[in-house]
Amino acid sequence: MMQTSNKELILRLCEQRTLTKQEWVSLLTGFTDEDRAFAAETARGISRNHFGNRVFIRGIIEFSNYCKNDCLYCGIRRSNPNAQRYRLTDDEILECCAEGYEIGYRTFVLQSGEDLTYTAERIAALVRRIKASFPDCAVTLSLGEKEYEEYAMMREAGADRYLLRHETANAAHYAKLHPEKMSYAHRMKCLEDLKSLGFQTGAGMMIGAPFQTAEHLAEDMLFLRSFEPHMIGMGPFLPHKDTPFAAEPKGSYEMTLFLLSLCRIMLPNVLLPATTALGTIRPQGREQGILAGANVIMPNLSPTAVRKKYMLYDNKICTEDRSADCRFCLQQRMKSIGYEISVTRGDYQDEENRDLR
Ligand code: SAH
């Protein structure tokens, strides 16, 4: 029997929005630059259709790098004694929002390690303050795994979105990337809880994480297909010198771009960032991510003084810059590829009530 070509598989994904696991494995193991270009062109067409030439921006405030967890890949894991720990006060976080608002941000992403000094009550109060000061803004949280009641309290306070990458959809692979205390089952429960509470929910994985195989990536794509997240955070794995994975190779830039395109084709209206990790692995990585079908950029809105301390991986970009620098640098970068920054909240829109304003 004749083997299906990669181009045919990409077209099938376009029409049926799904592939079998075997087809995914085949596509992800044997693709050429030409296949990648075809996928990117197809994905870019879909993005243009849904979002025009506009890219949504989210200001990310990395408010604490204390973490109770010990993820093997992450530079702010608890057992990294070289991480200089910091926490922002609620007032400092509010100040970042105010600065961001001035330069056009209408989504604030609050991200941190799993720092228990920020209880659900405190986060809820903080979200209320942000919402009261900036009622036209969306608040996204990315604080890791919490219990249902805690997520509920944050949602109640007005948080709109939550990012929690699933990291890998294979339980055995999950166990190789995380300490024994963490479990794949709990991660999945968190994602279900978030969705059921009405958060616009983001999942995602690192590309080229240690021990990752094409089968794992195929399982990730099948998981994303069935979970239908509103957002997908996906960037290359990059080693951090003070982690057990210090000597592991980086993820593949090309594979990351290819998967961004395939996510766009599979889930046409998903909010898909060209990540900071993608901009770190290549100087033009984020531009290429947008041209491969991504439609979101998340520039840093943290105080410059702490940026270098939120090092998830080595050589992270933009750690010397001020927020306004990042904002305008991005504007120029987007302009250089024919895109504009949208200063709207940029909520997820399902197919029925899509708004092309
Ligand atoms: N504590 C929060 C935020 C984690 S940092 C949480 O658990 O969700 C956000 C994401 O950065 C992680 O989900 C992970 O996928 C990514 N990340 C961490 N270390 C990384 C590395 N070394 N290379 C690339 N991405 C990394």
Side-chain angles (χ1 to χ4, degrees):
M1 205 178 76
M2 257 234 322
Q3 233 204 308
T4 320
S5 77
N6 286 337
K7 197 171 167 180
E8 283 170 308
L9 288 176
I10 294 164
L11 286 170
R12 183 175 305 169
L13 181 64
C14 222
E15 277 156 22
Q16 301 175 4
R17 301 275 146 82
T18 187
L19 294 177
T20 66
K21 181 168 176 191
Q22 210 37 57
E23 288 170 333
W24 276 119
V25 171
S26 155
L27 185 58
L28 295 174
T29 43
F31 64 90
T32 62
D33 285 348
E34 210 176 302
D35 297 327
R36 229 164 33 79
F38 179 67
E41 193 185 315
T42 307
R44 193 158 65 235
I46 296 170
S47 294
R48 284 257 170 184
N49 231 344
H50 281 73
F51 312 103
N53 70 334
R54 281 182 297 278
V55 172
F56 298 128
I57 50 169
R58 323 308 195 177
I60 177 158
I61 304 165
E62 301 152 335
F63 66 86
S64 164
N65 69 351
Y66 280 85
C67 193
K68 72 176 171 77
N69 275 340
D70 222 4
C71 305
L72 277 75
Y73 43 84
C74 184
I76 63 170
R77 63 200 303 265
R78 72 179 297 169
S79 60
N80 176 8
N82 298 327
Q84 289 178 43
R85 306 289 170 172
Y86 73 92
R87 291 186 172 111
L88 300 185
T89 64
D90 295 10
D91 285 345
E92 286 170 327
I93 297 169
L94 258 298
E95 262 170 53
C96 291
C97 296
E99 191 180 351
Y101 192 87
E102 281 293 305
I103 53 179
Y105 289 104
R106 293 297 178 268
T107 292
F108 304 118
V109 181
L110 270 46
Q111 192 180 80
S112 67
E114 293 202 13
D115 182 347
L116 297 180
T117 64
Y118 299 84
T119 58
E121 287 82 3
R122 180 168 167 197
I123 294 290
L126 180 61
V127 169
R128 285 205 170 83
R129 272 183 77 186
I130 297 174
K131 284 284 184 171
S133 305
F134 311 101
D136 54 337
C137 291
V139 173
T140 304
L141 300 174
S142 180
L143 321 173
E145 299 182 20
K146 306 278 172 198
E147 293 311 312
Y148 182 89
E149 293 69 29
E150 299 177 299
Y151 286 146
M153 206 180 282
M154 299 174 192
R155 178 80 184 117
E156 184 96 337
D160 303 275
R161 312 185 188 130
Y162 203 105
L163 301 174
L164 183 74
R165 293 187 180 180
H166 68 287
E167 312 295 359
T168 170
N170 178 286
H173 186 218
Y174 190 91
K176 291 185 178 172
L177 301 178
H178 298 95
E180 244 171 72
K181 270 206 203 132
M182 292 178 72
S183 81
Y184 173 74
H186 192 255
R187 195 95 180 162
M188 288 293 154
K189 176 181 185 295
C190 287
L191 282 165
E192 293 295 341
D193 287 349
L194 289 165
K195 228 184 177 186
S196 73
L197 284 164
F199 282 101
Q200 292 173 50
T201 304
M205 66 282 188
M206 292 176 287
I207 311 308
F211 313 111
Q212 188 181 65
T213 63
E215 274 81 12
H216 295 147
L217 285 173
E219 290 171 34
D220 286 324
M221 295 307 274
L222 292 172
F223 165 71
L224 292 171
R225 166 73 277 173
S226 67
F227 184 70
E228 286 200 65
H230 307 94
M231 307 171 281
I232 299 177
M234 204 170 72
F237 162 74
L238 297 168
H240 185 290
K241 60 180 172 38
D242 299 319
T243 64
F245 293 158
E248 296 290 331
K250 290 175 187 171
S252 153
Y253 171 64
E254 289 76 16
M255 178 70 102
T256 305
L257 291 175
F258 191 40
L259 281 164
L260 283 172
S261 300
L262 298 172
C263 281
R264 169 63 62 217
I265 295 170
M266 181 169 79
L267 298 166
N269 39 350
V270 78
L271 296 164
L272 187 64
T275 61
T276 306
L278 188 60
T280 299
I281 199 171
R282 278 290 190 298
Q284 309 270 307
R286 286 171 301 174
E287 292 87 320
Q288 291 306 312
I290 298 296
L291 294 172
N295 72 319
V296 174
I297 304 254
M298 299 169 66
N300 202 315
L301 196 49
S302 310
T304 314
V306 304
R307 287 188 184 196
K308 270 200 161 47
K309 298 179 184 163
Y310 200 83
M311 277 291 172
L312 307 179
Y313 43 79
D314 292 333
N315 306 315
K316 189 175 160 206
I317 53 170
C318 306
T319 56
E320 310 263 352
D321 302 338
R322 290 165 309 153
S323 296
D325 301 332
C326 288
R327 168 69 175 78
F328 294 105
C329 166
L330 249 308
Q331 181 146 325
Q332 285 312 113
R333 284 173 181 268
M334 292 303 109
K335 200 173 158 203
S336 76
I337 53 168
Y339 283 74
E340 274 171 30
I341 282 175
S342 162
V343 288
T344 64
R345 280 172 49 124
D347 285 293
Y348 180 84
Q349 312 241 281
D350 48 32
E351 298 278 353
E352 298 85 68
N353 48 41
R354 166 144 69 95
D355 173 1
L356 280 174
R357 260 178 316 179

